[in-house]
Amino acid sequence: MARNVNGLLSRLGIVRNPGAAVPHRKNTKDCATVELPVPEKVIMVMQQHIGAPCTPTVKAGDTVYVGTVVGDSPAPFSAPVHSSVSGTVAKIDSVIMPNGAKVQTVVINSDGQQTPDPQIKPPVIRSDEDLIAAVRASGLVGLGGAGFPTHIKLNPAPEVKEKVDTLLINGAECEPYLTSDVREMLENSQDITEGIRYVSKLLKVNQTIIGIEDNKPDAIEIMTKALADLSKEGITARVEVLPSRYPQGAEKVLIHQCTGRTVPMGKLPADIGVVVMNVTSIGVLARYIKTGMPLVTKRVTVDGSAIQNAMNVRVPIGTPIKDIVDFCGGYKDTPAKILCGGPMMGTALMDDAFPVLKQNNGFLFFDRKEAEMMEPTNCIRCGRCVEACPMNLMPTKLEAYTKIASVEMLQKLSIMNCMECGSCAFVCPANRRLVQSIRLGKTIVRNANQESR
């Protein structure tokens, strides 16, 4: 239905402008990354990726080093977890994830020495298979938030791989506050280009594009210069300057903006010839190939009205968030809300005891004034949510059919195609809880589909 409306608007010469003009608030864009001191303990969660959780490969009392594998799984759709500190395994425990799932953890007491695992060495890469194996061994997952295992993304089925002609690097970072990716571009541009060399050769792509929003001129300039060096080597690469409009960094939106292609519902980017990687992910890959040190640290943006000092901090994965708060000077005010990620798609946390995961790119702390939400009122049928939706959905109808649990209509209106970006809720003058309703509707559809099998 919405697609027909959009077609009519197009024929009338009316340009639709989906998404939302959210405030940027990139307060830390000029804050160089600083290192967090070694924490007293880390909590290594065994589920830091989409797919099968890992099983601990160590036990209480074991000595581990920086880079030691502490969790793995034989399942293809998984990625190993490595210790981010040297020290002693205190216990095998569990933690409740923000989505309610209970997941095992390996708790490690640090010795403060940060001794690298003696077995760590740069991988020997003589073939595509060697590179894929190295990517898995690095523990790399999508660092933009999704946590998709990178070795799966870079090894599509042969019939799909034949279609792939474009490597698309996501440097948009469209969420307010977050600047961890822009710091990667400013501080590690050579790692990014080195990663592009490896991946473009593996996938045999015709072109590489880095999408960056126009509110990051410094990053655009430095990456344009870095890609010029690749062009001298015969690698076609360019920066695509994107308008600063949320959710520009969402995978499907980014693909359409940079290539003009549309990912059909139920398909992956590779099915239309595109592989998308986060800009920090490809930088981490290059550093792993150079040093052999797996993914054990992460740069995170710390900001919000309740934090004393906003900054970008590189932290060992598994560090309790409270340690980062203390490093940033503590709280200015008691936080009424703690978000993992940005304010649009981030996940609320119960407290600051939760540990840092691989795919975390920021933590926001808001005081009561900023955290309070206005109460929803009746929908006024203004259509702003439809106009804002980058996936051409009808959020108010999805909300209505969720209330009556109409699986048939929810599927007909393509509820599973919603990326939960929050644009609809942001522009809604009635403050409707549209994203929450759509998430509930998705659960209703999933449960109904499982029962019908």
Side-chain angles (χ1 to χ4, degrees), residues 22-64:
V22 301
H24 299 154
R25 297 181 182 173
K26 302 290 187 178
N27 307 317
T28 58
K29 63 182 177 62
D30 297 322
C31 296
T33 307
V34 293
E35 299 284 337
L36 182 82
V38 183
E40 292 183 1
K41 72 172 183 180
V42 292
I43 304 167
M44 309 307 301
V45 179
M46 295 292 102
Q47 179 83 66
Q48 301 195 45
H49 50 266
I50 294 174
C54 292
T55 300
T57 57
V58 292
K59 62 183 184 303
D62 284 356
T63 298
V64 298

Side-chain angles (χ1 to χ4, degrees), residues 300-368:
V300 295
T301 298
V302 182
D303 205 344
S305 56
I307 199 74
Q308 196 68 242
N309 299 307
M311 58 179 69
N312 287 301
V313 189
R314 184 174 297 282
V315 304
I317 292 168
T319 299
I321 297 169
K322 177 66 165 60
D323 290 7
I324 306 174
V325 172
D326 291 342
F327 180 71
C328 294
Y331 294 121
K332 286 193 292 188
D333 194 2
T334 301
K337 180 163 288 189
I338 301 174
L339 288 181
C340 167
M344 299 298 290
M345 293 187 72
T347 302
L349 300 176
M350 292 293 292
D351 54 40
D352 57 14
F354 197 77
V356 175
L357 305 180
K358 294 178 182 180
Q359 61 269 46
N360 293 158
N361 47 20
F363 298 101
L364 305 179
F365 306 87
F366 295 115
D367 59 25
R368 186 163 301 281

Side-chain angles (χ1 to χ4, degrees), residues 76-77 128-129 131-133 135 148-167 198-205 267-277:
F77 218 98
D128 290 353
E129 291 73 22
L131 180 55
I132 294 297
V135 174
F148 195 100
T150 304
H151 67 281
I152 298 292
K153 178 176 287 189
L154 298 183
N155 193 29
E159 64 274 15
V160 176
K161 188 175 181 180
E162 289 180 0
K163 303 176 185 178
V164 175
D165 59 11
T166 301
L167 172 62
Y198 284 110
V199 176
S200 62
K201 181 179 178 182
L202 171 70
L203 298 174
K204 300 176 176 60
V205 295
K267 296 293 184 179
L268 295 173
D271 293 313
I272 61 164
V274 181
V275 167
V276 183
M277 288 188 70

